[in-house]
Amino acid sequence: MYETITYRIENGVAWLSLNRPDKLNAFTSQMNKEIQKAVKQSSHSHEVRAIVITGEGRAFCSGQDLADVDDSMNLGQMLRDDYGPMMKEIARCVKPIIAAVNGVAAGAGFSLALACDFRLVSEKASFLNAFVNIGLIPDSGNLYYLSRIVGHAKALELSVLGQKVPAAEAEKMGLATKVIAVEDWNEQVTAFAENIASRPTKAIGLIKRYLEASYHLSFEEYLKEEAEGQRIAGLTKDYVEGVTAFTEKRKAQFIGE
């Protein structure tokens, strides 16, 4: 089904791995489209309650494969045709998405990690806003997400200086949800993903929706939207289970519905 990524579902988690390790998982148009397709597939699957995006080999993603770019290309059109649709699919996904950053995340690979809801980072990994080093601006939603995560000043600094950010520094500035030792990588990423997948999926989707809405609405408008969101959450089976488990003093067993 896929040529540039691998895809599997296990214990409620969809594992999406960029699979061009010999090219440090650099993006091609086909990879953009396959990521978009896999995220959409996961969004519509009742079996999937969380998504992990990671890379095969020693890199997460090194950004655009420059072998596919020449001087005559309209880079804006490439963004509109390939990266834009992929990033929009990720943004509209109501299920939690975890970037398991196993190695360098540079350029649009950094953008991909930023677009995810959580970033688990190997102690050997790093982030790099490499665009300025070839005379370009950060794209694929990079500045949109980066400024929200680290603030305006730090986003400008990372983008203009184009310096590598190691895992420990990324954790200090809020880029990394958690830094994980290499020897514990598979175990801890799996445990984190399965923990997220065991939580009330519809409530998480609503949290994502209204957190984003908070950037665009007045406080009065937000309170109206919030009330509607709580009405929806209150109709889920997981809400009933959560309240029942609380009264029975046991751990809730959510089913994502």
Side-chain angles (χ1 to χ4, degrees), residues 245-257:
F246 180 81
T247 57
E248 295 178 356
K249 298 182 179 180
R250 59 173 175 81
K251 184 177 179 180
Q253 300 295 316
F254 298 116
I255 62 173
E257 298 180 5

Side-chain angles (χ1 to χ4, degrees), residues 180-251:
I180 300 174
V182 173
E183 61 269 23
D184 300 327
W185 178 253
N186 290 332
E187 180 183 356
Q188 290 204 25
V189 170
T190 299
F192 186 94
E194 292 184 354
N195 176 40
I196 294 294
S198 72
R199 293 174 179 270
T201 312
K202 290 188 181 297
I204 293 173
L206 291 167
I207 290 169
K208 289 176 59 172
R209 179 196 300 179
Y210 293 111
L211 183 58
E212 178 60 29
S214 71
Y215 288 105
H216 312 296
L217 301 175
S218 68
F219 186 59
E220 290 76 10
E221 291 171 330
Y222 178 79
L223 290 178
K224 292 179 182 178
E225 293 292 325
E226 176 191 81
E228 175 60 13
Q230 198 70 300
R231 182 192 71 80
I232 295 170
L235 297 174
T236 63
K237 294 178 181 178
D238 281 342
Y239 167 68
V240 175
E241 165 61 10
V243 172
T244 303
F246 180 81
T247 57
E248 295 178 356
K249 298 182 179 180
R250 59 173 175 81
K251 184 177 179 180

Side-chain angles (χ1 to χ4, degrees), residues 70-246:
D70 60 58
D71 294 341
S72 65
M73 290 184 67
N74 182 328
L75 298 183
Q77 194 60 48
M78 182 176 71
L79 290 177
R80 287 186 285 270
D81 291 343
D82 296 334
Y83 286 95
M86 177 186 74
M87 300 304 287
K88 288 176 185 177
E89 193 64 53
I90 292 171
R92 71 170 64 99
C93 181
V94 298
K95 295 178 180 178
I97 304 179
I98 302 156
V101 185
N102 54 299
V104 64
F110 188 12
S111 304
L112 176 61
L114 291 171
C116 296
D117 302 307
F118 305 94
R119 280 159 296 283
L120 303 181
V121 181
S122 166
E123 64 181 352
K124 298 293 187 180
S126 59
F127 296 100
L128 177 62
N129 242 358
F131 301 90
V132 73
N133 295 333
I134 57 172
L136 295 177
I137 68 169
D139 61 31
S140 306
N142 186 291
L143 294 178
Y144 179 91
Y145 289 114
L146 185 60
S147 60
R148 284 162 170 74
I149 295 171
V150 303
H152 178 101
K154 182 59 70 171
L156 184 65
E157 176 187 324
L158 296 180
S159 303
V160 171
L161 298 182
Q163 297 174 337
K164 185 177 290 187
V165 180
E169 186 178 344
E171 186 174 34
K172 290 179 182 177
M173 66 177 68
L175 275 174
T177 304
K178 184 178 184 181
V179 173
I180 300 174
V182 173
E183 61 269 23
D184 300 327
W185 178 253
N186 290 332
E187 180 183 356
Q188 290 204 25
V189 170
T190 299
F192 186 94
E194 292 184 354
N195 176 40
I196 294 294
S198 72
R199 293 174 179 270
T201 312
K202 290 188 181 297
I204 293 173
L206 291 167
I207 290 169
K208 289 176 59 172
R209 179 196 300 179
Y210 293 111
L211 183 58
E212 178 60 29
S214 71
Y215 288 105
H216 312 296
L217 301 175
S218 68
F219 186 59
E220 290 76 10
E221 291 171 330
Y222 178 79
L223 290 178
K224 292 179 182 178
E225 293 292 325
E226 176 191 81
E228 175 60 13
Q230 198 70 300
R231 182 192 71 80
I232 295 170
L235 297 174
T236 63
K237 294 178 181 178
D238 281 342
Y239 167 68
V240 175
E241 165 61 10
V243 172
T244 303
F246 180 81

Side-chain angles (χ1 to χ4, degrees), residues 4 20 26-33 63-65 68 82-83:
T4 65
R20 301 184 71 222
F27 281 117
T28 62
S29 178
Q30 182 178 358
M31 181 183 278
N32 292 143
K33 291 176 172 59
Q64 171 64 34
D65 190 337
D68 285 0
D82 296 334
Y83 286 95

